[in-house]
């Protein structure tokens, strides 16, 4: 018999095996379970700092009078003979995990990626901070591993109904992520470890017969006389040549920053796109010690044992959600625009999460009906009104650039934002391109800034001290999710308006974040397999 037992201890007792064993036996006794022998396997750890005292919940699988099952991950990938092949556009989590699914059936994945491999991409990312140059094909969003490579690498998702989270975590672990991700309640890889993990995945895909083409940007779809997608056209940036790639199916895993791909679909098959709710706002950065102090109730021992504190905030203002997103404890704010004429910020952290700052996006829900008319008119002129949200997003990013300097981002102390006052100076910040003092409420759409203002007062009630002199808002955070969905058939996974095209991952509008996009890649490629092997 197997029982799941959770015990609660103080941070000091997390490694106290004797005490934990005794608590587990007490729990079994409470359930009147008799046994001769037990084997205990640790499953998950979570921290509860809500009620004044920090508690750690530890979950165990307890095997009663039986041996623990061997739950080791055994990959089922096969070497492809190349008889069947699938084009995958984009090497983010959706594309890479999708490729691994195809290899389980010996189908050859051919990955087309506009950006560079991680070692080259690192140099372009450094140039954003040092030279304020954004390479439109190699940046925080584009390149090997997608937006996930130089990200925080937080691996938790609330979409546990969409697939097998454990499978994704096991695959990450197989390719070199720490085994702690299998048991932590909030698993996290860290930006310093992610590139090696992604490189190992790519090497395995190539070793098993797959192809990966970097510097290669898809700019059109190849259609047969039945209007089915049979392949793609791409520009090879290494020599400027145009190439055609044919396959048994095309998987589109281009992420939500690929504006050109949305425009291409909007032109050739506007009905394939659907406007959807997204969110935009700012990133708030605090000195880490302030957030740790609030969350751990100034218990310095807890901070030492448990690392940088996390938080999650949510409120409702004037019928729209306002919430924290992608919180990075002990992290950095980074310039993550994929186009030189805009500014976008995001957050990341290293595995140790030990920087002096903690930051989080604070974003306001934007529904299709909230988009100002002028963007609907512009989208209409492009022949696809569903793209209005995308144009609105681009405009916020352009305004940020106008109010910043190069990639130095417009910023305001939180207190000054609430008092509608320009900030005279700033505390030290992790955002390396620099901060430019700006009255955010003057150029952020009122839909966003007025709700942010009210929300910060609410957040200060749930986290007393959140609104403080040292908190700084850095703008804008616009890429938490996509404003358009590429509609797909619920059963076949195919794009409803473009047959044999399988949109997946964050750009499709059906997933968000690393784990759910990876699961979507796995799920959609299973449907691709069913189609082409039947
Ligand atoms: C700085 C930062 C931090 C983040 N932190 C986290 C986090 O901690 N946890 C989390 O869950 N999520 C995080 N995210 C979000 C996460 O990275 C994305 O949700 C995830 O990567 C989406 O996966 P995807 O495969 O669908 O798309 P993407 O990762 O966006 O990959 C799409 C790929 O397609 C390529 N591409 C686009 N257009 C073309 C084209 N025309 N031709 C060829 N290739 C193309 C791109 O270059 C890119 O490599 C973060 C994002 C950023 C930017």
């Amino acid at each position: 018999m197997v029982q799941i037992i959770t015990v609660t201890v103080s941070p000091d007792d997390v490694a106290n095996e004797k005490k934990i064993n005794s608590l587990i036996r007490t729990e079994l006794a409470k359930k009147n379970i008799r046994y001769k022998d037990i084997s205990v396997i640790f499953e998950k750890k979570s921290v509860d700092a809500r009620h004044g005292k920090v508690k750690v919940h530890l979950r165990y699988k307890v095997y009663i009078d039986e041996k623990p099952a061997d739950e080791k991950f055994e990959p089922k990938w096969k070497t492809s003979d190349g008889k069947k092949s699938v084009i995958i556009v984009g090497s983010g989590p959706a594309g890479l995990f999708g490729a691994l699914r195809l290899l389980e059936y010996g189908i050859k994945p051919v990955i087309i990626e506009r950006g560079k491999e991680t070692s080259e991409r690192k140099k372009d990312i450094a140039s954003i901070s040092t030279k304020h140059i954004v390479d439109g094909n190699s940046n925080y969003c584009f390149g090997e591993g997608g937006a996930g490579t130089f990200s925080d690498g937080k691996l938790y998702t609330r979409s546990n109904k969409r697939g097998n989270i454990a499978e994704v975590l096991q695959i990450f672990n197989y390719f070199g992520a720490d085994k702690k991700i299998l048991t932590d309640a909030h698993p996290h890889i860290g930006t310093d470890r992610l590139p090696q993990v992604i490189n190992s995945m790519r090497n395995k895909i190539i070793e098993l017969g797959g192809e990966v083409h970097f510097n290669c940007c898809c700019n059109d779809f190849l259609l047969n006389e039945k209007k089915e997608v049979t392949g793609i056209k791409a520009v090879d940036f290494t020599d400027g040549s145009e190439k055609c790639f044919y396959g048994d199916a095309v998987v589109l895993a281009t992420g939500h920053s690929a504006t050109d791909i949305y425009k291409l679909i909007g032109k050739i098959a506007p009905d394939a796109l659907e406007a959807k709710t997204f969110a935009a706002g700012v990133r708030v950065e605090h000195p880490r010690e302030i957030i740790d102090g609030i969350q751990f109730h100034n218990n310095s021992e807890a901070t030492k044992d448990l690392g940088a504190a996390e938080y999650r905030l949510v409120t409702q203002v004037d019928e729209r959600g306002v919430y924290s997103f992608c919180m990075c404890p002990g992290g950095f704010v980074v310039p993550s625009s994929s186009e030189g004429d805009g500014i976008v910020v995001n957050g990341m952290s290293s595995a140790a999460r030990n920087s002096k700052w903690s930051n989080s996006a604070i974003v306001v829900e934007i529904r299709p009906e909230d988009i100002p008319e002028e963007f609907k008119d512009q989208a209409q002129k492009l022949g696809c009104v569903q793209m209005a949200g995308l144009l609105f997003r681009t405009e916020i990013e352009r305004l940020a650039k106008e109010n910043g300097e190069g990639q130095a981002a417009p910023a305001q102390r939180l207190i000054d934002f609430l008092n509608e006052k320009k900030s005279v100076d700033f505390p030290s910040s992790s955002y390396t391109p620099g901060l430019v003092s700006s009255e955010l409420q003057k150029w952020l759409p009122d839909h966003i800034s007025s709700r942010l203002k009210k929300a910060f007062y609410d957040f200060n009630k749930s986290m007393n001290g959140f609104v403080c002199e040292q908190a700084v808002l850095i703008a804008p955070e616009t890429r938490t999710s996509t404003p358009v969905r590429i509609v797909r058939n619920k059963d076949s996974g195919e794009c409803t308006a473009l047959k044999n095209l399988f949109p997946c991952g964050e750009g499709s509008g059906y997933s968000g974040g690393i784990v759910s996009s990876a699961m979507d890649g796995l799920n959609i490629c299973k449907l691709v397999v069913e189609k082409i092997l039947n």
Side-chain angles (χ1 to χ4, degrees):
M1 178 171 51
V2 179
Q3 286 281 309
I4 303 295
I5 301 284
T6 300
V7 297
T8 302
V9 295
S10 73
D12 293 343
D13 285 329
V14 169
N16 186 341
E17 273 181 41
K18 210 169 151 197
K19 178 159 189 173
I20 292 168
N21 245 304
S22 148
L23 287 170
I24 291 173
R25 285 170 194 271
T26 307
E27 288 303 311
L28 292 174
K30 277 190 210 159
K31 293 181 175 208
N32 284 326
I33 295 173
R34 293 169 194 278
Y35 52 88
K36 282 195 191 126
D37 189 25
I38 56 170
S39 303
V40 174
I41 305 286
F42 174 57
E43 279 219 310
K44 280 230 181 289
K45 175 172 116 186
S46 60
V47 178
D48 183 353
R50 284 171 302 170
H51 304 295
K53 215 167 171 205
V54 182
K55 292 182 271 181
V56 183
H57 303 299
L58 302 169
R59 194 173 86 199
Y60 293 88
K61 211 175 220 180
V62 183
Y63 290 82
I64 294 153
D65 295 332
E66 65 177 78
K67 282 202 159 152
D70 185 2
E71 289 175 0
K72 202 167 159 269
F73 172 69
E74 296 290 352
K76 297 187 220 103
W77 310 311
K78 298 179 191 142
T79 301
S80 169
D81 58 11
K83 283 186 186 144
K84 295 269 179 197
S85 69
V86 171
I87 311 295
I88 298 181
V89 189
S91 72
L96 290 174
F97 279 75
L100 291 172
R101 176 68 88 220
L102 296 175
L103 285 166
E104 286 176 20
Y105 298 85
I107 296 170
K108 175 178 175 167
V110 178
I111 299 180
I112 308 297
E113 168 55 56
R114 75 194 299 160
K116 301 177 187 169
E117 54 186 276
T118 48
S119 54
E120 286 301 303
R121 192 177 164 196
K122 269 185 193 156
K123 297 178 197 160
D124 296 321
I125 281 177
S127 286
I128 305 176
S129 288
T130 54
K131 301 186 189 142
H132 294 237
I133 295 171
V134 179
D135 181 323
N137 295 297
S138 177
N139 46 59
Y140 274 99
C141 296
F142 294 160
E144 183 176 10
T149 310
F150 297 97
S151 76
D152 201 37
K154 281 184 285 296
L155 298 181
Y156 41 97
T157 175
R158 275 169 242 146
S159 51
N160 54 0
K161 288 196 195 110
R162 289 197 198 150
N164 189 345
I165 297 174
E167 183 182 14
V168 172
L169 299 181
Q170 281 166 331
I171 292 176
F172 271 126
N173 172 237
Y174 179 89
F175 286 108
D178 196 297
K179 71 171 187 306
K180 265 196 345 207
I181 65 165
L182 303 176
T183 50
D184 276 354
H186 287 176
H188 161 247
I189 299 183
T191 192
D192 44 339
R193 308 257 170 93
L194 273 158
Q196 294 101 290
V197 173
I198 297 293
N199 291 162
S200 311
M201 290 177 90
R202 179 238 299 173
N203 291 337
K204 177 58 83 181
I205 289 167
I206 294 173
E207 183 195 311
L208 294 173
E211 289 176 21
V212 183
H213 300 262
F214 292 112
N215 297 297
C216 208
C217 184
C218 166
N219 59 6
D220 209 349
F221 302 114
L222 296 163
L223 303 172
N224 64 15
E225 60 287 352
K226 285 194 252 160
K227 293 249 178 219
E228 291 164 334
V229 177
T230 55
I232 61 142
K233 269 192 197 160
V235 180
D236 183 339
F237 294 129
T238 51
D239 58 10
S241 63
E242 191 161 75
K243 294 183 171 152
C244 292
F245 293 88
Y246 291 91
D248 292 287
V250 174
V251 172
L252 191 68
T254 40
H256 66 13
S257 291
T259 311
D260 46 1
I261 288 291
Y262 289 127
K263 286 190 174 158
L264 171 67
I265 297 177
K267 201 164 107 192
I268 60 172
D271 291 346
L273 298 182
E274 183 182 87
K276 69 177 267 299
T277 294
F278 68 112
V282 295
R283 203 154 261 266
V284 59
E285 180 173 69
H286 289 80
R288 177 186 151 184
E289 62 193 11
I290 291 187
I291 298 299
D292 291 354
I294 300 173
Q295 295 299 77
F296 296 147
H297 313 283
N298 293 319
N299 175 346
S300 55
E301 283 306 303
T303 309
K304 222 168 61 204
D305 291 340
L306 301 171
E310 298 175 36
Y311 61 82
R312 210 176 131 219
L313 295 164
V314 57
T315 188
Q316 194 77 10
V317 181
D318 300 334
E319 296 175 354
R320 294 292 178 271
V322 184
Y323 53 92
S324 61
F325 184 85
C326 186
M327 198 261 145
C328 300
F332 306 89
V333 182
V334 295
S336 62
S337 177
S338 52
E339 290 127 37
D341 47 9
I343 291 181
V344 181
V345 296
N346 209 310
M348 67 177 200
S349 64
S350 65
R353 287 190 155 162
N354 56 2
S355 89
K356 291 190 295 178
W357 304 271
S358 289
N359 68 70
S360 176
I362 305 287
V363 288
V364 180
E365 176 190 0
I366 302 173
R367 298 187 189 161
E369 63 266 32
D370 302 331
I371 307 292
E373 284 304 315
E374 61 181 292
F375 300 100
K376 293 184 186 162
D377 293 345
Q378 282 176 31
Q380 189 78 62
K381 281 188 194 132
L382 291 174
C384 182
V385 72
Q386 301 89 303
M387 288 202 308
L390 197 67
L391 303 181
F392 182 49
R393 174 180 92 175
T394 308
E395 175 62 4
I396 299 173
E397 296 168 2
R398 192 196 64 75
L399 283 169
K401 176 103 190 215
E402 204 173 275
N403 287 278
E405 228 175 85
Q407 283 298 309
Q412 193 170 17
R413 284 185 192 252
L414 172 52
I415 292 242
D416 292 338
F417 176 68
L418 297 178
N419 293 322
E420 301 198 354
K421 201 177 119 210
K422 192 164 178 165
S423 298
V424 192
D425 57 7
F426 292 112
S428 77
S429 168
S430 67
Y431 186 75
T432 50
L435 305 179
V436 176
S437 181
S438 167
E439 288 178 85
L440 302 183
Q441 80 282 356
K442 288 202 170 156
W443 60 269
L444 269 180
D446 186 56
H447 171 96
I448 297 172
S449 68
S450 60
R451 285 185 174 82
L452 281 177
K453 223 173 267 173
K454 292 184 190 163
F456 282 122
Y457 286 112
D458 279 359
F459 295 161
N460 202 48
K461 284 184 206 145
S462 38
M463 278 180 72
N464 188 15
F466 191 85
V467 173
C468 63
E469 195 55 41
Q470 293 95 324
V472 175
L473 306 183
I474 308 175
E477 176 95 22
T478 44
R479 309 255 181 121
T480 56
S481 60
T482 171
V484 264
R485 173 173 295 126
I486 308 174
V487 188
R488 60 191 192 200
N489 180 294
K490 176 159 92 13
D491 301 318
S492 71
E494 269 171 299
C495 175
T496 47
L498 286 165
K499 289 275 168 290
N500 215 30
L501 180 74
F502 291 79
C504 73
E506 194 158 66
S508 69
Y510 290 93
S511 71
I514 297 171
V515 172
S516 76
S517 299
M519 284 193 302
D520 201 46
L522 289 168
N523 293 342
I524 287 298
C525 282
K526 182 75 204 302
L527 294 173
V528 172
V529 170
E530 279 166 19
K531 179 173 178 187
I532 67 179
L533 292 189
N534 282 329

